[in-house]
Amino acid sequence: MPSPLTRRRAAVIALLALLPVAVLAAVVFFRPTGPAPAVWVTPTSPPAPPPLTLAHYDFDGPRPWDDTSRFGHHLTPFGGNRARPRRVPHDAGRAVQFPRPCEREPCPRLILRVLSRPELNPGDAPFSYGATVRLAARHTTDGQNVLQKGYSAEGSQYKLQIDGRPGQPSCVMRGEDSRVIHVAVAPIGVADGTWHRLECRRTRTDLILFVDGSPHAAVRIPARLRIDNAMSLNVGGKSAHADNDQFHGAVDDIFLSKP
């Protein structure tokens, strides 16, 4: 019969043999009892929808006066004193060249026009309008209207113009039932014979002028300022008659849009 010492040694050996199994079981069957760690997820905003184009004119193709937006606000040329629209190359397409300055009457005058439509009256909503223009330094005058709808003397108006010998672009707005004319004038000129992108952007409280994609002038406007008139949208001047603020350069990619 084994002695008591031998039996104690056998029991210790058996216990040591079972120890790894007990430790493994403890590891395998352990479960945390606390709350799961928080996982932070950064929310992402949905992409902003593209602007809605209300009118766009690129003067390309066999129907150069057509509006390429889905609204179909097609232009019609109106000339005075035998003035005719002339298309000139611009990038891969065409632009429209307006008459040069004239000092002796009868002077040629030319505009492109579309009659008023609801989409061309933005009301009090934010919107943008503009064009790509080229004007020579020797062809500047006191005032040249690139794009306008309405008149500053009555009713409401939005307008893009280039004024003075330096050829400074400016954006103009006047609201319904108001005599205040809001003008944002760029401190730089664009009459250098090269192409420049001009944009007038109306927000709720500001009228901002962008030149080649950069803001160059801004003026505060009332949030209630409303533009809604029955006048035509004119390109190149306010009419084809005398004192029409004729534009004397070339124009391309005219647009009207809202965010």
Side-chain angles (χ1 to χ4, degrees):
M1 175 179 297
S3 65
L5 179 59
T6 303
R7 289 197 298 270
R8 284 198 297 272
R9 288 178 179 175
V12 171
I13 293 172
L15 179 61
L16 292 176
L18 293 175
L19 184 59
V21 177
V23 173
L24 178 62
V27 172
V28 172
F29 294 104
F30 174 76
R31 294 289 186 269
T33 58
V39 178
W40 294 100
V41 178
T42 303
T44 57
S45 300
L52 174 62
T53 301
L54 304 173
H56 179 258
Y57 307 98
D58 58 19
F59 308 114
D60 297 335
R63 303 179 64 175
W65 318 126
D66 280 7
D67 174 16
T68 61
S69 79
R70 64 182 177 89
F71 293 100
H73 305 307
H74 305 317
L75 294 169
T76 300
F78 283 87
N81 301 325
R82 300 185 301 276
R84 295 180 179 274
R86 181 168 60 94
R87 289 197 294 165
V88 295
H90 177 216
D91 292 337
R94 295 283 178 172
V96 175
Q97 178 67 53
F98 288 87
R100 296 182 177 184
C102 169
E103 297 180 355
R104 179 178 297 180
E105 295 289 353
C107 293
R109 296 180 177 87
L110 173 69
I111 64 168
L112 310 174
R113 185 179 76 175
V114 58
L115 297 180
S116 183
R117 306 282 180 82
E119 295 82 14
L120 304 178
N121 283 318
D124 60 2
F127 76 109
S128 297
Y129 61 96
T132 302
V133 302
R134 183 182 65 186
L135 181 64
R138 65 183 184 277
H139 292 164
T140 58
T141 60
D142 288 341
Q144 302 188 30
N145 294 355
V146 178
L147 166 68
Q148 74 178 83
K149 189 178 191 299
Y151 301 97
S152 59
E154 58 184 74
S156 56
Q157 179 194 56
Y158 58 86
K159 178 170 65 171
L160 169 63
Q161 61 188 9
I162 300 176
D163 292 342
R165 185 171 297 277
Q168 292 173 274
S170 60
C171 302
V172 181
M173 278 192 184
R174 174 183 169 172
E176 293 285 331
D177 304 321
S178 174
R179 295 184 179 182
V180 180
I181 301 174
H182 306 274
V183 185
V185 185
I188 62 172
V190 295
D192 56 8
T194 63
W195 289 97
H196 294 279
R197 180 69 166 171
L198 304 178
E199 177 186 350
C200 300
R201 185 179 302 174
R202 184 256 169 98
T203 68
R204 283 293 179 187
T205 57
D206 295 282
L207 174 60
I208 309 169
L209 168 61
F210 291 81
V211 179
D212 296 326
S214 299
H216 278 268
V219 62
R220 299 286 289 181
I221 60 173
R224 65 182 182 277
L225 187 148
R226 182 175 183 81
I227 299 174
D228 189 1
N229 61 63
M231 301 296 105
S232 60
L233 175 67
N234 295 346
V235 177
K238 60 185 178 183
S239 71
H241 308 297
D243 301 320
N244 71 330
D245 293 334
Q246 179 70 60
F247 180 58
H248 297 296
V251 66
D252 198 4
D253 293 320
I254 296 169
F255 73 95
L256 176 69
S257 66
K258 66 180 183 179

